[in-house]
Amino acid sequence: MIRADSDIVLEVHGLRATVNDIEILKGIDLTVRRGEIHAIMGTNGSGKSTLAKVLAGHEAYRVTGGSVVFEGGNLLDLEPEARARAGVFLAFQYPIEIPGVANSHFLRLAYNTLRAQRGEEELDPLEFEDFVRDKMKLLEMNPDFLDRGVNEGFSGGEKKRNEILQMALLEPRLAILDETDSGLDIDALRIVTQGVNRLANRDNAIILVTHYQRMLNHIVPDYVHVMESGRIVKTGEKSLALELETRGYDWVSGERRAAAGV
Amino acid sequence: MSAVLQNLVNQPYKHGFVTDIESDIAPKGLNEETIRLISAKKNEPEWLLAFRLGAYRKWLGMEEPKWSTVRYPEIDFQAISYYSAPKPRKKLNSMDEVDPELLRTFEKLGVPMHERAALAGVAVDVIFDSVSVATTYKQKLAEVGIIFCSISEAVHMHPDLVRQYLGTVVPVGDNYYAALNSAVFTDGTFCFIPKGVRCPMDLSTYFRINTEESGQFERTLIIAEEGASVSYLEGCTAPRFDTNQLHAAVVELVALNDADIKYSTVQNWYAGDENGVGGIYNFVTKRGLAKGVNSRISWTQVETGSAITWKYPSCVLLGENSVGEFYSVAVTNHHQQADTGTKMVHLGRNTRSTIVSKGISAGHSHNSYRGLVRVAPTAAGARNYSQCDSMLVGDACSANTFPYIQVRNHTAKVEHEASTSKIGEDQLFYFAQRGIGNEEAVSMIINGFCKDVFQQLPMEFAVEATKLLGFKLEGSVG
């Protein structure tokens, strides 16, 4: 594929979206290149999780304006499953439980769907087991995870590890981690962030959606964006996150109000 | 509910065709003459006619039960024809002589007859309307002393056994529909496993209702003597009709000391169209008597069809240490109604029962679990575990759980768990985000939900049940 700027993984321009006819995203601009890690921060209700879900194609959200180009193609034209197969991965803030469906079955189906997409042969259960066990070591996961129902009765930390395991299996071009740090104790946070760091490379890109800067002590972002009322209101480097930590989100809002002369 | 979900659950009925076979139909209406006609057509002994007439007189004095949640227009019992039989050209000696039209029907249904039956190791006693047309494997079963035949045949060949057990588990006056069945049943299955014999194969019967407005009154009787065991499979489909058809079967199971009966059902009768027009009324009485010490009766059912399903396969646990089990999946869609569950009646000491019920409602359907656990004063040390889970697909359906628990012995232990969940956009989105499309997602969610029940089914039935739920809730490819 010929692209003007082949470095760009994701280009969001003027993105607007509503849920139940209430506008949540009010014009988002964001450019993400290969090898970059972007952190999107903001208060509750600022729209950061909505942005994650809109990019993944959640049905409850309606895009009312703007464009999203992913790897040179119009992402908004694709169904959620096609976006996933094209390489957009969302680590859920609240991973869904699917009782009675073995985790190994679910993971294998997801992985084989991707292989089929790439024109590769599917792995049978035994081949897959070897493959997935290697990936699980990365996240210090007990092999009995495979036999349990998908997220069924998992602790918060186990659910988040299971999300990152799926990221490891599916090797997305763009991984969006939606508050992956929430509900994690210190050890789990270390394991999960180590896993993410090992998965980050020059060819993929990561968007971290987070409320707190503590995750950014482990995963160092190239850019930090602050969202407020459905817009990115400030962009900076890692130091911006530290400044937010000490001065609070009010500081950004206050600065904006001052700039606007309110 | 999203358009995707709507499409997934709104698959048309796949077995909706009518076979054109000349039928021998009794005139509509029910009176003593009708009963004498049925009995005469079947060349029955005097005692059976007396049994029928006794039941009919009880029925006349009974009232239709109204306590369930199911709603339907009043049934005109005089507008039903109580006997219908395909006219055989002559006495059939082999499958080759069976009406080819009939064979084609079986083929459409995928019934594993003759060679297919042989390959699968399943003996199929095929019921077509009310008369048995063919029985396979009878010879092989006879070698170990197992009797597996139509109940009409059993009446002639093994009258003492039939007379000894018929109506002992479900008495003629047990309930309104059981009384009706006892009066007018036309055919069904008889199965006898003698002392110490473990049935070498699963026994299977496919039922098929074929004549419009002919009530179906099947009668099944299974007896397992001391130390005997049997696994019996009952699978059903029916052609598409707009007129409601009443089906009121009675199934009786008797397990003596150390005997084990496993009864599995997959039911996919015509459920009516998406507006709730037509469909079968399935008002069934199924009961097993765990009569002997250490005996065991296990019901597994996958109920996907019928406009109305109203049944409670039950266990009477009389023998000391006897065990009763009930595993159920009930799926309703469109305007279907299901009021189903079980009764576990603990009479003997140290009797145990397990209930696992999974209800799935979609469309505008109503799905109720209703179950009774009764521990009698004599049932010291009795134990019960019940788990009743409901799953809702969409916003217009409903699910209810009515557990009745009556404990009259303080040493008994009874546990009940219940849950309700919903297939929502979020679950489907989770699958989609991992590249898995909606159809496959729904199928996985449903199969995961039903796993505890499906793993109780014999292998081939489990495959069939999984497919059936697929048809019902997700549609097939192509």
Side-chain angles (χ1 to χ4, degrees):
Chain A
M1 197 186 296
I2 298 162
R3 287 190 293 269
D5 186 346
S6 61
D7 253 7
I8 294 179
V9 177
L10 181 77
E11 179 114 57
V12 181
H13 188 69
L15 182 65
R16 290 173 171 270
T18 61
V19 61
N20 299 326
D21 291 329
I22 297 163
E23 187 167 62
I24 308 287
L25 300 184
K26 300 173 179 173
I28 300 280
D29 294 303
L30 179 67
T31 303
V32 179
R33 290 181 168 79
R34 254 170 244 294
E36 289 180 350
I37 298 177
H38 290 241
I40 296 185
M41 303 184 71
T43 54
N44 292 328
S46 61
K48 55 191 193 302
S49 279
T50 297
L51 175 62
K53 286 180 191 155
V54 167
L55 292 176
H58 195 296
E59 236 182 84
Y61 300 87
R62 202 158 68 84
V63 173
T64 51
S67 64
V68 179
V69 175
F70 172 72
E71 303 251 281
N74 182 356
L75 189 68
L76 300 178
D77 275 353
L78 302 179
E79 292 294 322
E81 55 267 37
R83 296 184 197 195
R85 291 173 200 163
V88 175
F89 178 86
L90 174 64
F92 282 60
Q93 181 180 1
Y94 303 109
I96 308 292
E97 296 193 12
I98 309 155
V101 176
N103 210 15
S104 57
H105 186 192
F106 176 73
L107 296 173
R108 187 164 58 88
L109 183 64
Y111 182 64
N112 277 336
T113 303
L114 188 75
R115 285 181 71 95
Q117 172 90 357
R118 294 182 193 148
E120 293 165 3
E121 236 176 84
E122 297 189 354
L123 295 191
D124 67 35
L126 291 176
E127 292 168 328
F128 180 73
E129 177 119 354
D130 290 342
F131 176 71
V132 74
R133 274 172 190 269
D134 275 351
K135 302 280 183 187
M136 287 170 73
K137 283 182 197 148
L138 182 75
L139 291 153
E140 301 178 24
M141 290 171 87
N142 191 318
D144 76 3
F145 264 75
L146 292 176
D147 302 326
R148 294 164 66 185
V150 179
N151 296 322
E152 191 182 359
F154 283 23
S155 70
E158 287 173 331
K159 284 183 181 173
K160 295 300 173 77
R161 270 193 258 184
N162 204 27
E163 292 296 287
I164 303 306
L165 174 64
Q166 293 173 55
M167 176 179 166
L169 286 175
L170 302 176
E171 298 177 335
R173 316 296 300 165
L174 173 67
I176 305 162
L177 312 186
D178 189 6
E179 308 223 8
T180 296
D181 54 332
S182 68
L184 294 187
D185 61 30
I186 294 169
D187 288 337
L189 183 67
R190 178 184 55 78
I191 294 164
V192 164
T193 52
Q194 265 176 13
V196 173
N197 280 330
R198 285 193 206 161
L199 295 172
N201 60 42
R202 284 184 310 177
D203 287 325
N204 61 22
I206 295 172
I207 296 176
L208 305 171
V209 173
T210 182
H211 191 77
Y212 301 106
Q213 103 82 32
R214 66 169 191 164
M215 192 185 196
L216 308 182
N217 290 333
H218 300 273
I219 304 172
V220 180
D222 299 291
Y223 298 96
V224 174
H225 309 275
V226 181
M227 274 189 77
E228 190 185 290
S229 309
R231 289 188 188 88
I232 290 175
V233 294
K234 197 171 179 68
T235 294
E237 296 186 352
K238 158 126 177 77
S239 56
L240 175 58
L242 291 169
E243 199 161 0
L244 277 173
E245 179 89 339
T246 45
R247 303 177 70 169
Y249 285 106
D250 281 348
W251 159 66
V252 180
S253 316
E255 206 178 46
R256 284 184 68 228
R257 279 197 294 275
V262 180
Chain B
M1 184 157 83
S2 73
V4 174
L5 273 181
Q6 289 282 11
N7 288 336
L8 292 180
V9 299
N10 291 347
Q11 293 298 314
Y13 186 67
K14 291 190 192 296
H15 296 298
F17 44 82
V18 179
T19 306
D20 188 17
I21 290 182
E22 206 187 336
S23 282
D24 176 8
I25 303 175
K28 286 178 184 177
L30 180 56
N31 50 46
E32 290 204 3
E33 279 319 298
T34 318
I35 290 161
R36 287 178 199 281
L37 171 77
I38 294 169
S39 198
K41 281 255 185 198
K42 302 172 75 62
N43 204 13
E44 285 175 355
E46 195 56 41
W47 64 265
L48 191 50
L49 176 61
F51 175 92
R52 289 175 181 281
L53 290 173
Y56 174 67
R57 285 165 200 149
K58 282 230 159 125
W59 181 75
L60 284 178
M62 295 171 87
E63 290 205 4
E64 248 185 288
K66 300 284 185 197
W67 46 261
S68 80
T69 58
V70 300
R71 295 289 169 264
Y72 53 94
E74 201 164 325
I75 297 168
D76 181 356
F77 292 95
Q78 299 303 332
I80 294 171
S81 163
Y82 288 85
Y83 183 78
S84 154
K87 278 184 184 165
R89 291 172 200 144
K90 55 177 178 174
K91 189 150 173 30
L92 303 173
N93 295 315
S94 79
M95 285 300 297
D96 300 338
E97 296 171 38
V98 175
D99 188 329
E101 188 66 26
L102 188 55
L103 288 178
R104 271 192 292 277
T105 304
F106 290 137
E107 234 151 80
K108 279 191 235 171
L109 285 169
V111 175
M113 284 282 286
H114 46 86
E115 286 90 357
R116 275 187 281 173
L119 285 171
V122 174
V124 183
D125 174 20
V126 178
I127 307 287
F128 192 77
D129 268 346
S130 314
V131 171
S132 282
V133 177
T135 304
T136 52
Y137 274 84
K138 201 182 291 181
Q139 220 43 46
K140 194 171 168 187
L141 293 172
E143 282 168 23
V144 286
I146 292 173
I147 303 165
F148 181 47
C149 62
S150 75
I151 200 149
S152 309
E153 195 180 335
V155 166
H156 294 289
M157 306 297 288
H158 313 281
D160 294 343
L161 278 175
V162 178
R163 200 172 177 180
Q164 186 184 343
Y165 288 104
L166 189 72
T168 58
V169 184
V170 179
V172 292
D174 185 80
N175 68 68
Y176 189 80
Y177 292 101
L180 180 63
N181 175 287
S182 301
V184 301
F185 72 89
T186 42
D187 217 332
T189 302
F190 178 79
C191 183
F192 176 82
I193 318 294
K195 189 171 172 176
V197 172
R198 309 188 72 78
C199 186
M201 67 192 80
D202 292 343
L203 301 181
S204 172
T205 298
Y206 280 75
F207 294 89
R208 185 163 168 81
I209 300 172
N210 196 259
T211 305
E212 196 165 4
E213 287 183 81
S214 78
Q216 282 276 307
F217 303 94
E218 305 283 354
R219 187 91 193 190
T220 297
L221 177 58
I222 299 176
I223 300 140
E225 281 198 326
E226 263 184 60
S229 79
V230 64
S231 167
Y232 182 84
L233 322 179
E234 170 198 53
C236 325
T237 58
R240 170 168 224 146
F241 284 122
D242 285 333
T243 312
N244 289 311
Q245 293 181 303
L246 175 64
H247 184 87
V250 170
V251 176
E252 296 178 282
L253 314 180
V254 181
L256 303 184
N257 289 353
D258 301 302
D260 188 335
I261 301 176
K262 186 174 169 63
Y263 193 107
S264 311
T265 304
V266 171
Q267 187 262 115
N268 182 29
W269 284 329
Y270 180 50
D273 68 14
E274 58 192 53
N275 299 312
V277 177
I280 307 266
Y281 293 175
N282 188 22
F283 300 166
V284 182
T285 305
K286 289 184 169 176
R287 194 175 303 156
L289 176 60
K291 195 172 184 179
V293 174
N294 300 324
S295 58
R296 182 173 124 132
I297 288 186
S298 179
W299 299 100
T300 304
Q301 61 172 21
V302 178
E303 302 284 326
T304 69
S306 299
I308 302 175
T309 298
W310 189 6
K311 60 181 279 202
Y312 313 93
S314 303
C315 299
V316 178
L317 304 173
L318 181 62
E320 204 170 302
N321 298 325
S322 61
V323 174
E325 295 171 330
F326 175 74
Y327 298 94
S328 171
V329 167
V331 183
T332 53
N333 192 7
H334 303 309
H335 291 267
Q336 275 179 282
Q337 305 175 58
D339 195 311
T340 184
T342 184
K343 290 190 276 186
M344 293 292 174
V345 180
H346 293 257
L347 300 176
R349 293 166 65 87
N350 297 320
T351 46
R352 284 166 291 150
S353 62
T354 303
I355 299 170
V356 177
S357 164
K358 306 281 181 174
I360 301 165
S361 346
H364 294 268
S365 66
H366 300 280
N367 201 326
S368 297
Y369 166 82
R370 187 187 302 275
L372 170 69
V373 176
R374 176 183 286 162
V375 178
T378 48
R383 277 181 290 157
N384 162 266
Y385 171 74
S386 303
Q387 186 191 337
C388 304
D389 299 322
S390 306
M391 179 172 272
L392 303 170
V393 184
D395 299 324
C397 53
S398 71
N400 293 300
T401 301
F402 303 103
Y404 302 82
I405 298 171
Q406 299 168 359
V407 179
R408 296 215 178 89
N409 186 304
H410 70 279
T411 61
K413 190 174 162 192
V414 175
E415 291 175 77
H416 180 91
E417 286 180 27
S419 78
T420 303
S421 57
K422 201 171 164 179
I423 292 190
E425 310 285 293
D426 282 334
Q427 261 178 326
L428 296 181
F429 179 61
Y430 190 64
F431 278 91
Q433 220 304 304
R434 301 304 183 245
I436 302 165
N438 282 325
E439 286 205 10
E440 205 152 4
V442 168
S443 162
M444 261 181 114
I445 293 167
I446 297 283
N447 284 319
F449 180 71
C450 300
K451 191 184 70 178
D452 294 346
V453 175
F454 284 176
Q455 66 193 14
Q456 296 296 328
L457 289 170
M459 184 65 112
E460 285 148 36
F461 243 30
V463 173
E464 193 170 316
T466 306
K467 275 193 205 155
L468 203 54
L469 260 67
F471 287 151
K472 195 79 188 177
L473 289 162
E474 74 169 28
S476 57
V477 180

